[in-house]
Amino acid sequence: MNRKWWHDKVAYQIYPKSFMDSNGDGIGDLCGIISKLDYLKSLGIDIIWLSPVYKSPFVDQGYDIADYYTIAEEFGTMEEFDELLAETKRRGMYIIMDLVINHCSDQHEWFQKALAEPDGEYADYFYFRKGKNGNPPSNYRSYFGGSCWEPVPGTDKYYLHMFAKEQPDLNWENPKLRQELYNMVNWWLEKGLAGFRIDAIINIKKNLDFPDFEPDGADGLAGCWKMVESVDGVGDFLEDLKKNTFQKYDAFTVAEVFNMKEGELAEFIGDNGHFSTIFDFSAHSLSMGEHGWYDAPQIDFKKWRETVINSQLEVQTCGFEANIIENHDEPRGVSRFLPKYAQTPDGTKMLGTVSLLLRGIPFIYQGQEIGMQNAVWNSIEEYDDISTKDQYQIAREAGLTDEEALEACGRMSRDNARTPVQWSNQENAGFTTGIPWIKVNSNYKSINVESQEKDADSVLNYYRRLVAVRKSPKYKEVFTYGKFVPVYQNSDTIMAYYREYENQRILVAANFGKDAVELKLEYPVRGVVLSNQNRVKKPEQMMILNSCEVIILECDDCYFA
């Protein structure tokens, strides 16, 4: 494997709107981020991923971009962005931005020109198609519900949008459009970005016949992802993108990829892959319902363990994936992956340890390092998220009561990750002196940065120690390049694995159960590297792991064939 500059880095995702507000308007901003860079440095962060800060009407929270070259005034100015770049560089950190190029906003100049001239040049920047027998061109349901096709006013045509109707899909078959996008990407890389997180990129390849599929819902529509899964050739687009942009700058790219086909992983993240890495969503897929959030299953520990292990074993044959517990599109991991009895500081530290020491690039989402949890939502009106509102309607139409539909949304809503970061126990959790754009989680007085800074045993300070262990000269190689080897899989409640590299073997063992478990050690132990229950004495042949305990053990020197 060719070594890359980003292999040993730890990344942190910022959702700017909810991170830190510097001017009291209730919306997080670039100056707020700058004010917290020393905090991120103290956590051991190398790469900062900013969710979209481009000009946008915010129908989908900035993932509907109206101008790729302009900072949204809600977040600040380009001068402030340049200051952010300079300040991160001064601290030895890197910035990557969201790259949203499957679609843009309907307010983008290109789309406005397309609407003004539906048979003109800019219409071919999008997918304008005539309807069939008075109906849309095909029976696709968008990711946010409803038809993927929206009428073009004053014509017999429709335009395609796989997300909201305000997010028209861009036509990647058009070489002029592709060049416009490449120019934009290179402009940002020339400015000093280290790379990009790439949104919904697998969707850029369409079946231009747009065939109907068997309906999979009462609305008579079929999920648009069926078309994505049925078409080949996306790799050609992705290679063209890489060669014309990222490759020229040795940029770090992490892609959001769903619907990958069997056996394609090496094409995406191998030494010559389309991207540096992709996010591993395999564990998150376990709580996807057949019909929506309302029938989403609870996470089963054994199934979760099996999924994580299988994913690790597959990916280490070809490259690196990016490991997450949560992000801006997912509910909080503590509330999702831990049973109620484990939603404690110890349980939070345990989950973080298991994730951050896996093989791959760890991504920490804002607030994860203090153990932020799902909020309590009292009505659908409290939500902002377009997807949550759609899922609420789906649940109600399926016969659920208002209370039941709200419960489903409360477990799965993206807004759980979008409540403001809890900086202190002061009003609005110290996020803003104004009125927050979205409600603050009611538990901010007990879970916040300020109080955890003062507590040596807090989740925050444990995360700092954990990141420091991963990046330390003594262990950096084994945690970066070490082989992942699962162990104790016969146990009902233990998630454990070795990381092995050259003459090092490290055991990471966690007990997700309610009761203590006795484990027979396979190798002599040299010492305890880290423990969430402050264990310092090294175990001998046997080890008892308490409920929600995780321990990292350094085994005696070993040499692998």
Side-chain angles (χ1 to χ4, degrees), residues 110 113-114 117-128 157:
W110 298 337
K113 288 182 175 180
E117 197 176 347
D119 295 311
E121 174 187 5
Y122 283 95
D124 195 44
Y125 276 35
F126 303 92
Y127 297 97
F128 281 33
K157 294 182 177 181

Side-chain angles (χ1 to χ4, degrees), residues 377 382-385 388 413-419 437-438:
W377 305 88
E382 287 189 329
Y383 290 101
D384 176 88
D385 176 36
T388 301
S413 175
R414 304 192 298 180
D415 278 344
N416 284 306
R418 300 175 182 184
T419 60
W437 72 274
I438 194 170

Side-chain angles (χ1 to χ4, degrees), residues 345-513:
D346 272 353
T348 302
K349 296 172 188 176
M350 174 180 68
L351 182 64
T353 306
V354 168
S355 176
L356 261 69
L357 298 184
L358 293 171
R359 189 179 182 282
I361 311 301
F363 272 72
I364 298 170
Y365 180 69
Q366 63 181 42
Q368 176 187 324
E369 74 277 12
I370 60 169
M372 283 182 65
Q373 302 178 359
N374 285 355
V376 176
W377 305 88
N378 301 304
S379 71
I380 193 62
E381 284 74 29
E382 287 189 329
Y383 290 101
D384 176 88
D385 176 36
I386 186 173
S387 183
T388 301
K389 293 173 182 178
D390 174 58
Q391 288 291 333
Y392 174 81
Q393 289 302 325
I394 289 173
R396 292 306 307 273
E397 289 165 9
L400 276 71
T401 64
D402 175 68
E403 186 179 0
E404 291 168 336
L406 283 173
E407 192 275 332
C409 289
R411 284 193 295 117
M412 298 298 295
S413 175
R414 304 192 298 180
D415 278 344
N416 284 306
R418 300 175 182 184
T419 60
V421 173
Q422 294 157 213
W423 294 106
S424 73
N425 63 7
Q426 302 301 306
E427 187 176 9
N428 298 323
F431 162 71
T432 181
T433 57
I435 300 172
W437 72 274
I438 194 170
K439 67 182 279 184
V440 174
N441 193 320
S442 58
N443 67 6
Y444 72 91
K445 291 195 174 182
S446 58
I447 298 177
N448 63 74
V449 172
E450 187 176 71
S451 64
Q452 293 195 22
E453 290 273 16
K454 301 170 184 174
D455 177 5
D457 201 36
S458 68
V459 173
L460 173 60
N461 282 313
Y462 181 85
Y463 257 83
R464 285 173 170 153
R465 292 192 290 273
L466 178 61
V467 172
V469 164
R470 184 183 172 97
K471 295 174 63 177
S472 68
K474 186 175 183 180
Y475 301 115
K476 182 164 68 173
E477 292 286 296
V478 69
F479 285 128
T480 302
Y481 297 107
K483 185 178 180 183
F484 171 91
V485 181
V487 66
Y488 302 122
Q489 294 181 76
N490 292 330
S491 167
D492 289 338
T493 63
I494 298 295
M495 170 61 174
Y497 54 85
Y498 295 111
R499 298 298 309 279
E500 299 177 348
Y501 184 75
E502 293 183 348
N503 67 329
Q504 280 186 296
R505 178 185 282 123
I506 306 292
L507 173 65
V508 179
N511 179 11
F512 281 73

Side-chain angles (χ1 to χ4, degrees), residues 180-233:
E180 293 257 30
L181 295 175
Y182 299 164
N183 292 344
M184 178 269 295
V185 170
N186 290 333
W187 185 85
W188 282 103
L189 291 171
E190 285 287 344
K191 183 178 271 289
L193 281 193
F196 293 94
R197 177 267 185 184
I198 304 163
D199 181 71
I201 195 64
I202 203 82
N203 294 295
I204 63 175
K205 182 65 178 178
K206 273 64 169 182
N207 183 335
L208 299 180
D209 293 331
F210 296 109
D212 283 343
F213 286 90
E214 187 70 27
D216 56 19
D219 56 7
L221 302 177
C224 60
W225 50 90
K226 293 187 175 181
M227 183 265 289
V228 175
E229 291 171 346
S230 72
V231 70
D232 295 316

Side-chain angles (χ1 to χ4, degrees), residues 129-310:
R129 296 290 187 275
K130 288 189 176 182
K132 294 179 182 176
N133 304 317
N135 294 312
S138 63
N139 68 336
Y140 303 159
R141 180 191 308 107
S142 84
Y143 287 109
F144 293 158
S147 174
C148 276
W149 296 99
E150 189 72 12
V152 177
T155 74
D156 60 353
K157 294 182 177 181
Y158 295 75
Y159 69 86
L160 180 74
H161 61 91
M162 298 181 74
F163 293 87
K165 63 183 175 63
E166 296 88 355
Q167 295 169 288
D169 278 46
L170 293 164
N171 178 12
W172 272 72
E173 303 290 340
N174 183 333
K176 188 170 182 181
L177 177 276
R178 291 202 304 274
Q179 190 58 53
E180 293 257 30
L181 295 175
Y182 299 164
N183 292 344
M184 178 269 295
V185 170
N186 290 333
W187 185 85
W188 282 103
L189 291 171
E190 285 287 344
K191 183 178 271 289
L193 281 193
F196 293 94
R197 177 267 185 184
I198 304 163
D199 181 71
I201 195 64
I202 203 82
N203 294 295
I204 63 175
K205 182 65 178 178
K206 273 64 169 182
N207 183 335
L208 299 180
D209 293 331
F210 296 109
D212 283 343
F213 286 90
E214 187 70 27
D216 56 19
D219 56 7
L221 302 177
C224 60
W225 50 90
K226 293 187 175 181
M227 183 265 289
V228 175
E229 291 171 346
S230 72
V231 70
D232 295 316
V234 71
D236 295 334
F237 283 153
L238 299 180
E239 278 301 290
D240 198 51
L241 170 64
K242 182 181 82 170
K243 289 173 181 175
N244 282 283
T245 58
F246 314 137
Q247 192 169 274
K248 297 178 180 181
Y249 298 86
D250 194 23
F252 171 65
T253 53
V254 52
E256 179 189 40
V257 176
F258 294 98
N259 312 92
M260 198 190 309
K261 294 179 173 62
E262 189 76 26
E264 282 187 335
L265 187 61
E267 295 177 30
F268 279 81
I269 61 168
D271 272 345
N272 298 306
H274 307 314
F275 305 109
S276 306
T277 185
I278 63 173
F279 288 110
D280 182 4
F281 292 115
S282 57
H284 301 78
S285 299
L286 296 175
S287 56
M288 291 176 65
E290 184 179 354
H291 303 101
W293 292 351
Y294 73 88
D295 62 357
Q298 299 283 349
I299 296 291
D300 174 76
F301 169 76
K302 288 186 178 179
K303 187 66 177 173
W304 171 80
R305 178 177 63 183
E306 176 188 13
T307 300
V308 172
I309 287 173
N310 289 344

